[in-house]
Amino acid sequence: MLASVGARHAGIASAVNNALSRLGQMIAVAALPLAAGLSGTDFEDPFKLAAGFPVAMTIAAGASFAAALLAWTTIRDDALSRPGADTKPVAKELPPSVQRHCALAGTPLATSPNPGPGSHPPTAMES
């Protein structure tokens, strides 16, 4: 999702992604025991809780498999290789001697080919 939006909307996309993730986690915590047949008083009885656990794990495994299948069929793997709508690939325009890349396959970072007076190479905190 984050690679499909422009740099201008990356912060909003990240916030939406985080909010939906938290919402999904809260719904799972609230709904999974109910789907497994556990109610409020069942948590006090170890035998009922032990009987509901395999049911809850089967439901969770099925939901995880369905989510993986949905992701596999709908998410394209070329999102990072195509430029965004409002960006241009700066690193491809520079000679290889001045190209810098994040070690985690992030956005290409580039230094200025002609640094001005008083400039210094980036430190570990800046890059």
Side-chain angles (χ1 to χ4, degrees):
M1 177 175 140
L2 296 179
S4 65
V5 299
R8 180 177 177 204
H9 299 292
I12 294 172
S14 177
V16 169
N17 188 34
N18 286 334
L20 290 176
S21 174
R22 303 285 179 177
L23 180 64
Q25 293 169 8
M26 289 188 294
I27 290 172
V29 167
L32 190 58
L34 294 175
L38 296 172
S39 64
T41 58
D42 292 339
F43 291 103
E44 297 172 1
D45 184 4
F47 296 109
K48 289 183 181 178
L49 191 60
F53 183 78
V55 176
M57 291 301 102
T58 303
I59 293 170
S64 296
F65 180 75
L69 186 62
L70 179 68
W72 184 56
T73 58
T74 60
I75 297 175
R76 299 186 331 205
D77 62 351
D78 66 343
L80 295 177
S81 63
R82 54 187 161 87
D86 59 350
T87 61
K88 63 180 189 174
V90 175
K92 291 183 181 177
E93 297 173 2
L94 298 173
S97 62
V98 293
Q99 289 182 3
R100 305 285 187 259
H101 295 281
C102 177
L104 300 175
T107 306
L109 305 173
T111 60
S112 173
N114 299 318
S119 64
H120 61 281
T123 61
M125 295 298 287
E126 294 173 348
S127 57

Short mmCIF file of all heavy atoms in Angstrom, two decimals, residues 94-100 111 113:
data_model
loop_
_atom_site.label_atom_id
_atom_site.label_comp_id
_atom_site.label_asym_id
_atom_site.label_seq_id
_atom_site.Cartn_x
_atom_site.Cartn_y
_atom_site.Cartn_z
N LEU A 94 22.09 9.92 -12.11
CA LEU A 94 23.42 10.25 -11.62
C LEU A 94 24.41 9.17 -11.99
O LEU A 94 24.06 8.01 -12.15
CB LEU A 94 23.38 10.42 -10.09
CG LEU A 94 22.50 11.53 -9.57
CD1 LEU A 94 22.43 11.46 -8.06
CD2 LEU A 94 23.02 12.88 -10.00
N PRO A 95 25.69 9.52 -12.12
CA PRO A 95 26.69 8.49 -12.38
C PRO A 95 26.81 7.55 -11.17
O PRO A 95 26.52 7.94 -10.03
CB PRO A 95 27.97 9.28 -12.60
CG PRO A 95 27.72 10.64 -12.07
CD PRO A 95 26.25 10.86 -12.08
N PRO A 96 27.24 6.32 -11.39
CA PRO A 96 27.33 5.35 -10.30
C PRO A 96 28.23 5.79 -9.15
O PRO A 96 28.05 5.34 -8.03
CB PRO A 96 27.89 4.09 -10.97
CG PRO A 96 27.59 4.26 -12.41
CD PRO A 96 27.57 5.73 -12.68
N SER A 97 29.18 6.68 -9.39
CA SER A 97 30.09 7.09 -8.32
C SER A 97 29.41 7.91 -7.24
O SER A 97 29.93 8.02 -6.14
CB SER A 97 31.27 7.87 -8.91
OG SER A 97 30.79 9.05 -9.54
N VAL A 98 28.26 8.50 -7.52
CA VAL A 98 27.59 9.32 -6.52
C VAL A 98 26.25 8.74 -6.09
O VAL A 98 25.51 9.37 -5.36
CB VAL A 98 27.39 10.78 -7.01
CG1 VAL A 98 28.70 11.49 -7.16
CG2 VAL A 98 26.57 10.82 -8.28
N GLN A 99 25.91 7.55 -6.54
CA GLN A 99 24.66 6.94 -6.13
C GLN A 99 24.81 6.33 -4.74
O GLN A 99 25.83 5.73 -4.42
CB GLN A 99 24.24 5.85 -7.11
CG GLN A 99 23.77 6.39 -8.42
CD GLN A 99 23.33 5.28 -9.35
OE1 GLN A 99 23.33 4.11 -8.97
NE2 GLN A 99 22.96 5.64 -10.55
N ARG A 100 23.81 6.48 -3.91
CA ARG A 100 23.78 5.89 -2.58
C ARG A 100 22.45 5.17 -2.43
O ARG A 100 21.42 5.66 -2.88
CB ARG A 100 23.89 6.95 -1.48
CG ARG A 100 25.09 7.86 -1.60
CD ARG A 100 26.35 7.11 -1.16
NE ARG A 100 27.47 8.01 -1.12
CZ ARG A 100 28.39 8.10 -2.05
NH1 ARG A 100 28.33 7.35 -3.11
NH2 ARG A 100 29.38 8.95 -1.93
N THR A 111 23.70 11.90 -3.34
CA THR A 111 24.39 13.10 -2.91
C THR A 111 24.50 14.04 -4.10
O THR A 111 24.36 13.64 -5.24
CB THR A 111 25.79 12.77 -2.38
OG1 THR A 111 26.53 12.15 -3.43
CG2 THR A 111 25.71 11.86 -1.18
N PRO A 113 26.20 15.97 -6.98
CA PRO A 113 27.44 15.70 -7.71
C PRO A 113 28.50 16.77 -7.48
O PRO A 113 29.68 16.50 -7.53
CB PRO A 113 27.01 15.67 -9.17
CG PRO A 113 25.55 15.80 -9.20
CD PRO A 113 25.07 16.11 -7.84
#
